[in-house]
């Protein structure tokens, strides 16, 4: 039983045990009475009253419970309530109320059981800046493999082949033009890579921000759709005209008498001879290629990120992990759409007039060169794309982290 003395509880408060013995009430913050946590000191009830329910607290050996005392605010130091006295004519004070609440189990914390927070969204403006910077750095590193891939795809079987393979292509290029020959056409691709990556990531973040769930998560299917939209946008706005110019530049340099003296001169000559339409040759193939390309990459990347982060959508990713996931996404896109890349390259070359349409180009390749021709340049493209996607995603993520510190958009 709780002590009911009238002298301000001079004796320590006690509780009855299972065998009738009494135990002293534990101090605040200590465990006692069968592993019960006491958060506040018990105060004695008014004279003539007993504890809640008319009996003392039983000690329990089941789940530990915490004991709290819900009582009115403490009175002033000189008040009768503080001295343990009752005012004449005043109603007796209410009894102390014991509130039993589950205490945390050993080794468990409430924070660990709390649901994960909402995923942070990336502002499209940050995505545009980070994507443009990533695209520019990446193309300077990987352009030689792009050059070799394009050369092999243009080396049609209908003519006597100039190259016997990747190594022979590199050897002949270095012998004829030096090491810098592997960077011929870089300017046109560099001018296109920066806006291409900017449009791609900006559009992806814009679409994904609209399609995320209440917790800010993006599932794999929606990631695929957002990637498809990003690929189509970059194909129409940037990729088709820039890729057309790049292919014409490389093809022109392979001719006995090159006629383009530089990027701007080449663009001017192409528009003068063929009009603006000359920079949009192979648009259908480019849209199909870029749309499927980015759909595959972002689908794989979103799936791997969701798997890695688990229940915590804001779990930071190490750049090495990001690069590995990017390489896997790049490899998947290579095997998924290399035939479209071959058709696109043929439609944008100087001999594109041989084909009536994108579908006719595919038919002519199959008829005269066989199915294997659709996978020409796969090996050099595989190496370039894996490195390309890994570098782009690493730089993009790191730049976004930096922008989040200096550019507050929340």
């Amino acid at each position: 039983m709780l002590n009911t003395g009238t002298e301000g509880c001079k004796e320590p408060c006690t509780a009855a045990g299972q065998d009738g013995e009494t135990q002293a009430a534990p101090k605040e913050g200590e465990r006692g009475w069968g592993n019960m946590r006491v958060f506040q000191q018990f105060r004695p009830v008014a004279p003539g009253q007993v504890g809640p329910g008319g009996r003392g607290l039983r000690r329990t050996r089941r789940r530990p419970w915490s004991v709290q005392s819900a009582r009115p605010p403490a009175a002033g130091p000189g008040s009768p309530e503080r001295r343990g006295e009752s005012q004449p004519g005043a109603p007796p004070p209410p009894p102390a109320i014991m509130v039993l609440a589950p205490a945390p189990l050993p080794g468990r914390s409430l924070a660990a059981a709390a649901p994960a927070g909402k995923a942070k969204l990336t502002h499209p403006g940050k995505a545009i800046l980070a994507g443009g910077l990533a695209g520019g750095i990446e193309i300077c590193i990987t352009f030689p493999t792009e050059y070799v891939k394009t050369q092999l795809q243009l080396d049609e079987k209908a003519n006597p082949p100039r190259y016997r393979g990747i190594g022979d292509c590199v050897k002949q290029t270095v012998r004829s033009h030096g090491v810098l020959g592997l960077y011929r056409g870089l300017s046109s691709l560099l001018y296109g890579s920066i806006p291409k990556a900017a449009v791609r990531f900006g559009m992806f973040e814009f679409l994904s921000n609209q399609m995320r769930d209440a917790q800010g998560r993006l599932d794999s299917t929606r990631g695929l759709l957002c990637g498809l939209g990003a690929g189509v946008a970059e194909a129409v706005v940037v990729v088709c005209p820039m890729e057309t110019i790049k292919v014409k530049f490389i093809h022109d340099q392979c001719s006995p008498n090159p006629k383009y003296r530089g990027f701007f001169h080449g663009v001017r000559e192409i528009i003068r001879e063929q009009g603006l339409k000359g920079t949009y040759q192979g648009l259908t193939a480019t849209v199909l290629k870029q749309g499927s390309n980015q759909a595959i990459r972002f689908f794989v990347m979103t799936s791997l990120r969701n798997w890695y982060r688990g229940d915590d959508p804001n779990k930071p990713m190490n750049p090495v992990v990001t690069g590995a996931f990017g390489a896997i996404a790049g490899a998947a896109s290579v095997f998924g759409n290399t035939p479209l890349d071959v058709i696109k390259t043929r439609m944008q070359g100087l001999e594109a007039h041989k084909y009536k349409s994108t579908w006719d180009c595919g038919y002519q390749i199959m008829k005269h060169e066989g199915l294997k021709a659709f996978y020409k340049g796969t090996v050099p493209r595989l190496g370039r794309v894996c490195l390309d996607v890994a570098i782009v995603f690493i730089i993009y993520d790191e730049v976004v982290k930096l922008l989040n510190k200096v550019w507050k958009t929340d």
Side-chain angles (χ1 to χ4, degrees):
M1 300 290 291
L2 291 174
N3 191 309
T4 59
T6 61
E7 300 299 328
C9 193
K10 294 181 180 179
E11 298 179 3
C13 298
T14 61
Q18 286 182 328
D19 300 325
E21 76 278 13
T22 60
Q23 298 179 354
K27 296 181 179 180
E28 184 173 358
E30 294 182 352
R31 289 184 179 274
W33 296 353
N35 201 26
M36 300 172 75
R37 188 186 298 276
V38 180
F39 289 90
Q40 298 182 12
Q41 291 284 0
F42 293 104
R43 71 177 176 84
V45 298
Q49 295 184 354
V50 296
R55 57 183 182 276
L57 295 175
R58 287 180 60 87
R59 181 173 52 187
T60 177
R61 298 185 183 277
R62 299 178 183 175
R63 184 178 179 182
W65 295 83
S66 61
V67 183
Q68 297 177 339
S69 175
R71 56 182 178 177
S79 64
E81 289 84 350
R82 175 66 69 179
R83 296 193 304 269
E85 303 173 2
S86 61
Q87 301 182 31
I97 302 174
M98 304 304 171
V99 181
L100 301 180
L105 296 176
R108 300 285 300 275
S109 65
L110 296 178
K118 183 177 180 180
K120 297 179 180 179
L121 306 182
T122 300
H123 190 279
K126 295 179 182 178
I128 292 174
L129 290 177
L133 182 59
I137 295 175
E138 170 272 323
I139 199 59
C140 291
I141 298 174
T142 63
F143 183 78
T145 58
E146 172 70 12
Y147 177 85
V148 172
K149 180 213 73 168
T150 304
Q151 290 281 49
L152 291 177
Q153 288 181 347
L154 292 174
D155 191 26
E156 299 182 27
K157 281 188 175 181
N159 299 322
R162 295 179 56 189
Y163 308 114
R164 295 189 299 271
I166 299 173
D168 183 59
C169 179
V170 174
K171 184 187 299 183
Q172 291 192 38
T173 301
V174 173
R175 183 188 303 144
S176 304
H177 305 281
V179 176
L180 293 180
L182 296 173
Y183 284 89
R184 290 186 300 169
L186 173 63
S187 59
S188 62
L189 199 58
L190 183 62
Y191 296 148
S193 293
I194 294 176
K196 178 176 70 172
V199 171
R200 177 197 311 159
F201 283 101
M203 180 59 70
F204 177 81
E205 295 296 347
F206 172 78
L207 294 176
S208 65
N209 288 349
Q210 312 303 317
M211 300 182 69
R212 295 178 185 270
D213 59 19
Q215 285 71 41
R217 299 174 185 270
L218 184 70
D219 59 36
S220 302
T221 302
R222 294 180 180 181
L224 184 145
L225 295 177
C226 292
L228 178 62
V232 171
E234 72 174 3
V236 174
V237 177
V238 180
V239 176
C240 188
M242 286 299 178
E243 287 287 298
T244 301
I245 294 171
K246 179 205 73 172
V247 173
K248 289 183 183 296
F249 266 48
I250 295 177
H251 210 164
D252 176 70
Q253 294 296 320
C254 296
S255 62
N257 299 311
K259 59 181 181 179
Y260 302 143
R261 297 191 298 269
F263 175 77
F264 295 104
H265 176 262
V267 172
R268 186 168 60 250
E269 288 297 310
I270 292 172
I271 295 178
R272 185 178 64 83
E273 296 175 0
Q274 306 174 26
L276 189 61
K277 183 180 178 181
T279 62
Y280 271 91
Q281 291 178 336
L283 177 61
T284 303
T286 303
V287 169
L288 292 175
K289 184 247 182 180
Q290 291 301 123
S292 62
N293 206 22
Q294 300 309 324
I296 294 172
R297 291 181 187 178
F298 280 105
F299 171 79
V300 174
M301 198 68 186
T302 302
S303 300
L304 293 175
R305 278 177 168 169
N306 290 342
W307 167 77
Y308 179 80
R309 287 172 170 164
D311 295 330
D312 183 5
N314 294 317
K315 179 179 179 180
M317 290 184 61
N318 186 285
V320 176
V321 177
T322 302
F325 289 172
I328 295 173
S333 67
V334 168
F335 290 109
N337 73 347
T338 290
L340 291 174
D341 186 55
V342 172
I343 295 174
K344 174 192 72 70
T345 302
R346 296 285 183 88
M347 289 296 296
Q348 293 171 339
L350 295 179
E351 298 181 357
H353 61 275
K354 293 168 41 177
Y355 310 111
K356 299 177 182 179
S357 64
T358 300
W359 312 111
D360 181 64
C361 179
Y363 174 77
Q364 294 292 339
I365 294 174
M366 174 66 73
K367 179 179 179 180
H368 298 292
E369 304 175 44
L371 181 63
K372 187 177 179 181
F374 285 107
Y375 286 90
K376 291 183 67 175
T378 298
V379 175
R381 184 175 182 236
L382 181 65
R384 183 194 70 82
V385 169
C386 289
L387 184 61
D388 166 11
V389 180
I391 293 174
V392 166
F393 274 109
I394 290 175
I395 298 176
Y396 174 77
D397 281 2
E398 295 305 310
V399 173
V400 167
K401 292 177 184 177
L402 178 62
L403 291 176
N404 286 336
K405 297 179 181 178
V406 299
W407 181 4
K408 302 298 182 182
T409 56
D410 296 335

